[in-house]
Amino acid sequence: MFTGIVEELGTVKKIKKGANSAVFTIRAEKILDDLKTGDSVAVNGICLTVTACLEDGFTADVMHETLRRTNLGELKSGSKVNLERAMAANGRFGGHIVAGHVDGTGTISSMKKDDNAVWITIDTSAAILKYIISKGSITIDGVSLTVAKVDNKSFAVSVIPHTGQNTTLLDKKPGDTVNLENDMVGKYVE
């Protein structure tokens, strides 16, 4: 389980592509302290299993289903990614309950500065929008955010400076694809 509070920005060092899969090598620093093979790490909100720990990062296998349903297939060497280790049982719960199981993707339709914040509007499918409510939680590329607006084709969040500086969200532009995980509580209540 994760919380959607990004611990560090990592960098894709290498992608070894198979016919329908890939092995990602990710450069990281902060999350390496207690990381071990078999641990879960959310990479842009996707729960991946560490297959090897390296001096300057880790590797993870990515299967066909994950490449097909997320934005990982669009990444290349040098791409920045949001990283979060699985939550420790004695950790603080700063975001919301995040499984790292992406429900689908959305497309950024606009980004608009509003004083110290940036409004990001994301178009997505009816299947995803069904579980999005105003003032509810959403995970975008692994970042826990509060939904500020929602309509029948999109939703919007407002990103504060701290979140913008410590995640990949403000590096995005209209037309970019983002991973979305709906609030787990809403899905299970239904």
Side-chain angles (χ1 to χ4, degrees):
M1 178 180 0
F2 304 94
T3 66
I5 303 300
V6 173
E7 293 182 83
E8 116 174 73
L9 289 175
T11 305
V12 175
K13 189 174 175 181
K14 182 170 104 178
I15 302 171
K16 181 181 175 187
K17 293 189 177 186
N20 291 308
S21 63
V23 176
F24 277 66
T25 303
I26 312 247
R27 183 178 291 120
E29 291 179 26
K30 293 178 189 173
I31 68 163
L32 299 180
D33 289 344
D34 60 353
L35 195 69
K36 58 189 176 312
T37 300
D39 283 354
S40 295
V41 174
V43 177
N44 275 1
I46 301 148
C47 179
L48 298 180
T49 301
V50 174
T51 55
C53 291
L54 310 171
E55 191 173 297
D56 65 345
F58 64 95
T59 62
D61 293 329
V62 181
M63 63 183 163
H64 185 223
E65 174 74 355
T66 304
L67 291 172
R68 186 178 67 77
R69 291 181 61 103
T70 70
N71 68 5
L72 286 187
E74 298 173 12
L75 299 177
K76 48 187 156 260
S77 193
S79 293
K80 296 287 186 198
V81 289
N82 297 317
L83 300 176
E84 179 189 0
R85 289 172 289 186
M87 187 176 129
N90 64 348
R92 292 181 187 258
F93 213 102
H96 70 281
I97 301 170
V98 177
H101 304 159
V102 171
D103 293 302
T105 60
T107 303
I108 295 176
S109 59
S110 70
M111 297 177 76
K112 182 181 173 189
K113 188 127 175 73
D114 181 14
D115 197 16
N116 69 340
V118 176
W119 283 91
I120 301 176
T121 302
I122 298 171
D123 294 340
T124 193
S125 69
I128 302 261
L129 285 168
K130 174 181 179 179
Y131 297 104
I132 298 176
I133 62 168
S134 183
K135 306 305 177 218
S137 297
I138 186 79
T139 307
I140 303 171
D141 273 356
V143 182
S144 173
L145 292 162
T146 302
V147 175
K149 299 176 186 174
V150 64
D151 61 33
N152 63 354
K153 73 173 198 121
S154 64
F155 68 95
V157 295
S158 183
V159 177
I160 63 170
H162 177 82
T163 302
Q165 293 162 7
N166 292 284
T167 69
T168 61
L169 289 178
L170 296 186
D171 295 334
K172 305 278 184 185
K173 60 188 178 316
D176 284 352
T177 303
V178 291
N179 298 317
L180 302 173
E181 181 181 333
N182 290 106
D183 182 35
M184 187 184 297
V185 174
K187 290 188 292 188
Y188 281 112
V189 165
E190 183 188 55

